[in-house]
Amino acid sequence: MKKIEHFIVCFSLLGIFANAQDKKPEQSGKIVLQESEKIIIEHSDFIDMNQYEIPGATVFTGNVRVIHKGTKINCNKAYYFTDDNYVKAFGNVIINQGDSITMNSRYAEYDGKEEFAFATGEVNLRSPESTLITDTIFFDKKKQIAFYNSYGTIVNKENTLKSRSGRYFMNAKKYQFTTAVTVTNPKSVIKTNHLDFYENSGHAYVFGPSTITSKENVIYTENGFYDTKSDIGKLKKNSKITYNNKIIEGDDLFYDQKKNFSKGINNVKITDTINNLVAKGDYAEMYRNTTTRKDSIILTKRAVVITKVENDSLYMHGKKILVTGPPEDRVIRAFNNVRFFKTDMSGKCDSIHSNNKTGLTKLIGNPVLWNNDNQMTGDVMHLIGNNETEKLDSLKVINNAFIVQKDTLSENGYNQIKGQNLFGKFKDNKLSEVDIIKNTESIYYMYNDKNELVGIDKKVCSKMNFIFEDNQIASQTAYQEVEANTYPEEEFPENARKLRGFIWRGDERIKSKDDIFPEEENILHEKVLIESKKKALEEDVPMETLKETLEYDKKKPKAKEKKK
């Protein structure tokens, strides 16, 4: 009994001495209590001051409570190295940082000078928002950073994060990972090598090659943000979203998982793998309706839709393009200054309406179509495709139909056909036969086998039929009330060689896929490319943000060796 009382007296004296050391006089001469720089052993059932057993240390056993600058340590046993202001804690160790952080382990060390802690053995670090389980944790109290290099699992509400190493910034409530990490929740899985995760908001920032996988899509990005609560993401570098049958890419991508909505800005590319369709533009929106299967794409700013036609590609441009409907019933609509190009065909109009199911494409508003050497105009044009052969089948021109073909052997000669309506047939995507109905007129330059002009033929009738071979008129047949005359060149006045309504638009002809864009849109796109390259360089992960955290990898626990 006396021995126990002796220990209690010694322990009390140690506490009084520690408190006295931390009292500092003010200018008034009064004594005020300052927060202790020394570790204080607040309670222990037993004390052993045998310096031979643990040189330089006092041993405290049973319900040990240690305090130091707001940090509290509870354990079964503790070695207190007074000179070094250092504690080793054993058995059921609990470290509390204020009211928000609690860490459990089998063993821990705490350096009062550096305010640095080390815990190992089934470590469990808890905050109000999450729990970290790992084998070993280092805790820098001054900088309020905890880190581990021993594989850890973090549970944050519905999110589970697993990685080989990680850091926890207590003030920002942020976990940071610079090695392989996986975030799993019921809706998605994130895999990356660099992740910043904010536990209170559920916001995740990824840097470097990263994937976000869900039931609906797979996302790849090298710089992105993802809200794990609302399922909203923003992707900024080398990003793409892959759905079942569509892939969307762009400099800046935004998506809302719950609304099945995606948006792209600058250099946007959407690939429809089922319909062999590619849509591009500097702004795009994509809606997916999985219930009614009515998907849609909206494109603006240098918008273009590229569709596969046999072994060729059709490029279509408009200030605004809409692609709607499921794969088997897709509709493409383009508006305002529409232009399109294919190797053997190009054209312009105010708007286009194309239905994949019916194979019908309508050219509306001042349309002009160039098929090889033929220029065709009219109030409304219909192009009909064959879905089985995927080839152009026929053509309808409603009201004011007009075909013009530049005569290749004369300087100013034009073969012309006009009438109220036109019906044409295609063979191998070339115009092979044409019927002109009602109020039909034609002018045709006639040559002999030596390519010598023998006369200019002019006809007026109710209906005409033309057969084309190698893009040239091979034969013509006039029906009903035919008026036909062939004039020698010198007897046919220049002002009579062009039918009423004749307009040659050869200088407008689109001769390549690049010609579909007006010059002003090319200039704007060049600015976009310059800004994109500049932005890509600026958005690389800044290494200075990692320097402070990377240095913790080099830190080792401060172990006290037992003197022999």
Side-chain angles (χ1 to χ4, degrees):
M1 180 66 69
K2 290 183 179 180
K3 185 176 181 181
I4 294 174
E5 290 175 350
H6 173 71
F7 285 153
I8 293 173
V9 171
C10 290
F11 171 68
S12 301
L13 290 173
L14 283 172
I16 294 171
F17 176 75
N19 287 331
Q21 287 291 96
D22 294 309
K23 291 180 180 178
K24 297 181 181 179
E26 294 184 342
Q27 291 181 355
S28 62
K30 294 181 179 180
I31 303 298
V32 294
L33 185 65
Q34 300 293 323
E35 189 175 26
S36 176
E37 292 293 334
K38 299 289 288 183
I39 293 172
I40 296 174
I41 309 299
E42 188 179 54
H43 180 272
S44 174
D45 292 343
F46 301 98
I47 302 173
D48 186 353
M49 301 183 68
N50 186 346
Q51 296 293 312
Y52 295 101
E53 180 67 24
I54 308 295
T58 301
V59 179
F60 297 86
T61 307
N63 296 314
V64 182
R65 293 198 300 269
V66 182
I67 59 172
H68 184 256
K69 292 187 175 182
T71 298
K72 297 178 181 179
I73 304 174
N74 290 270
C75 60
N76 294 338
K77 185 177 183 179
Y79 296 165
Y80 178 32
F81 298 86
T82 309
D83 294 341
D84 294 324
N85 203 25
Y86 195 94
V87 168
K88 289 184 178 182
F90 304 84
N92 296 321
V93 181
I94 303 174
I95 300 178
N96 293 97
Q97 165 70 38
D99 297 326
S100 59
I101 301 298
T102 301
M103 182 164 62
N104 294 70
S105 64
R106 293 202 306 266
Y107 174 77
E109 298 181 12
Y110 180 77
D111 188 334
K113 293 180 181 178
E114 299 293 334
E115 296 185 48
F116 192 89
F118 158 72
T120 188
E122 299 178 4
V123 183
N124 186 309
L125 176 67
R126 299 182 302 282
S127 71
E129 287 83 13
S130 62
T131 299
L132 164 63
I133 299 173
T134 186
D135 180 71
T136 302
I137 284 182
F138 305 91
F139 173 41
D140 189 328
K141 181 183 170 184
K142 289 181 179 179
K143 294 182 178 179
Q144 289 290 287
I145 299 176
F147 56 98
Y148 65 93
N149 296 297
S150 52
Y151 290 97
T153 299
I154 299 161
V155 178
N156 168 257
K157 299 178 178 64
E158 291 186 333
N159 299 300
T160 300
L161 298 84
K162 293 186 177 183
S163 69
R164 186 181 64 81
S165 63
R167 301 167 184 84
Y168 178 58
F169 298 79
M170 296 181 182
N171 293 333
K173 295 185 177 181
K174 178 183 78 171
Y175 282 95
Q176 184 180 77
F177 309 89
T178 54
T179 57
V181 58
T182 301
V183 183
T184 305
N185 62 44
K187 302 167 188 174
S188 62
V189 176
I190 304 173
K191 291 186 177 182
T192 182
N193 287 327
H194 184 180
L195 169 72
D196 288 357
F197 182 83
Y198 291 83
E199 61 176 358
N200 54 345
S201 63
H203 290 176
Y205 295 83
V206 296
F207 307 91
S210 310
T211 59
I212 303 171
T213 305
S214 67
K215 292 181 180 179
E216 292 78 17
N217 55 53
V218 176
I219 296 168
Y220 174 86
T221 186
E222 293 178 12
N223 188 327
F225 159 79
Y226 180 60
D227 186 335
T228 60
K229 292 182 179 178
S230 61
D231 295 322
I232 290 175
K234 296 179 182 179
L235 317 174
K236 295 183 178 181
K237 183 179 180 184
N238 295 335
S239 307
K240 68 177 178 180
I241 305 172
T242 303
Y243 298 99
N244 290 335
N245 63 320
K246 289 186 178 68
I247 301 170
I248 178 169
E249 304 169 74
D251 291 351
D252 287 298
L253 297 181
F254 168 87
Y255 71 96
D256 188 323
Q257 189 83 4
K258 293 178 181 177
K259 295 181 179 179
N260 286 310
F261 169 75
S262 303
K263 178 174 69 176
I265 299 174
N266 297 338
N267 295 311
V268 184
K269 179 182 177 182
I270 301 172
T271 304
D272 185 333
T273 55
I274 291 181
N275 289 301
N276 290 323
L277 177 147
V278 175
K280 295 181 178 181
D282 284 331
Y283 181 84
E285 294 181 0
M286 189 167 76
Y287 298 85
R288 298 179 65 250
N289 193 319
T290 55
T291 303
T292 62
R293 301 187 72 232
K294 289 184 178 179
D295 298 343
S296 64
I297 300 170
I298 301 173
L299 297 163
T300 60
K301 299 182 179 179
R302 208 170 186 267
V304 59
V305 169
I306 307 165
T307 52
K308 196 75 173 176
V309 181
E310 204 175 11
N311 295 322
D312 201 356
S313 295
L314 173 66
Y315 296 80
M316 181 191 302
H317 164 72
K319 287 189 177 180
K320 183 177 183 179
I321 299 178
L322 277 69
V323 183
T324 58
E328 66 277 6
D329 193 11
R330 185 193 66 212
V331 175
I332 300 175
R333 288 171 288 174
F335 306 94
N336 298 331
N337 196 17
V338 177
R339 303 168 178 223
F340 58 92
F341 171 81
K342 195 163 73 75
T343 303
D344 51 12
M345 181 179 292
S346 63
K348 297 171 65 175
C349 58
D350 291 337
S351 63
I352 278 182
H353 184 285
S354 180
N355 188 302
N356 181 55
K357 186 175 183 179
T358 62
L360 175 62
T361 299
K362 299 178 183 179
L363 281 63
I364 305 166
N366 197 30
V368 55
L369 181 70
W370 293 278
N371 176 237
N372 297 300
D373 296 327
N374 301 302
Q375 172 189 293
M376 289 170 277
T377 57
D379 291 351
V380 176
M381 286 189 184
H382 290 178
L383 291 168
I384 299 94
N386 187 318
N387 287 334
E388 293 182 3
T389 63
E390 295 185 349
K391 293 182 179 181
L392 192 58
D393 179 76
S394 56
L395 164 72
K396 293 181 182 180
V397 181
I398 312 301
N399 294 329
N400 298 312
F402 211 127
I403 297 179
V404 181
Q405 186 183 82
K406 181 74 171 67
D407 183 56
T408 57
L409 298 178
S410 62
E411 185 176 350
N412 297 311
Y414 294 91
N415 296 318
Q416 303 158 59
I417 309 168
K418 66 171 292 189
Q420 183 170 326
N421 299 318
L422 179 152
F423 301 94
K425 283 286 186 179
F426 289 88
K427 184 177 181 180
D428 296 328
N429 292 318
K430 294 180 181 180
L431 197 62
S432 62
E433 184 177 0
V434 168
D435 286 315
I436 305 290
I437 309 298
K438 200 173 181 179
N439 301 327
T440 305
E441 298 180 64
S442 71
I443 291 177
Y444 180 67
Y445 286 70
M446 302 176 66
Y447 293 87
N448 59 23
D449 293 339
K450 297 180 180 180
N451 288 329
E452 297 172 336
L453 182 64
V454 297
I456 301 174
D457 180 73
K458 183 175 182 179
K459 288 187 178 72
V460 177
C461 59
S462 295
K463 176 184 176 181
M464 294 187 71
N465 174 267
F466 294 86
I467 303 297
F468 290 80
E469 293 180 2
D470 297 327
N471 299 316
Q472 300 297 320
I473 297 174
S475 66
Q476 53 179 298
T477 306
Y479 301 90
Q480 299 177 6
E481 302 177 4
V482 179
E483 294 181 13
N485 290 292
T486 301
Y487 301 91
E489 182 180 14
E490 61 274 9
E491 295 180 11
F492 198 49
E494 287 285 343
N495 59 3
R497 297 184 185 184
K498 293 176 182 175
L499 299 175
R500 185 184 295 272
F502 171 88
I503 299 176
W504 176 245
R505 301 174 64 178
D507 56 341
E508 300 177 41
R509 185 171 181 175
I510 298 167
K511 298 178 180 179
S512 72
K513 63 181 182 181
D514 296 324
D515 289 344
I516 64 175
F517 301 109
E519 185 60 28
E520 61 270 18
E521 293 196 35
N522 287 329
I523 293 172
L524 289 173
H525 185 64
E526 286 298 322
K527 291 181 179 179
V528 167
L529 292 176
I530 293 171
E531 289 298 320
S532 297
K533 290 179 181 179
K534 181 180 178 182
K535 187 177 180 181
L537 292 173
E538 291 174 350
E539 288 183 345
D540 282 337
V541 181
M543 285 306 297
E544 57 267 20
T545 63
L546 303 179
K547 287 180 180 177
E548 183 177 273
T549 54
L550 288 173
E551 69 184 21
Y552 288 109
D553 289 333
K554 302 175 183 178
K555 288 203 173 188
K556 302 295 182 183
K558 191 175 181 182
K560 294 293 181 182
E561 296 294 338
K562 181 179 178 181
K563 294 181 180 179
K564 295 181 180 179

